[in-house]
Amino acid sequence: MPRDLPDWTYERRRELGDRIRHLRLRANLTQEVFAEMTGIDRRTVQRIEAGTSDPPYSSLLLIADVLDVPLEDLVRR
């Protein structure tokens, strides 16, 4: 059941997706290779980068590990 969230949460989700995309590209990884390395479905990676998906904490941990950045840097504001 979808819940209504404040507008600012959608903006923060887009910022997170942009940050992940930037770091992935900086690491010269395609979405497909990145998905394989994290164990996250490529379509899910695509939705996370687009800001249309709320990644679970465990996925954020995997993403940070593959991108070799502290989780704090990944989710910073």
Side-chain angles (χ1 to χ4, degrees), residues 33-75:
V33 169
F34 183 64
E36 289 174 15
M37 292 175 74
T38 60
I40 300 170
D41 182 73
R42 186 190 58 77
R43 283 185 226 141
T44 301
V45 169
Q46 193 173 36
R47 288 191 294 270
I48 291 170
E49 288 186 357
T52 59
S53 175
D54 276 324
Y57 182 72
S58 58
S59 293
L60 292 174
L61 289 172
L62 291 167
I63 289 168
D65 183 60
V66 167
L67 294 173
D68 196 29
V69 297
L71 180 62
E72 296 82 12
D73 288 354
L74 193 63
V75 298

Side-chain angles (χ1 to χ4, degrees), residues 7-8 18-19 37 51 58:
D7 290 342
W8 63 266
D18 289 343
R19 190 171 301 114
M37 292 175 74
S58 58

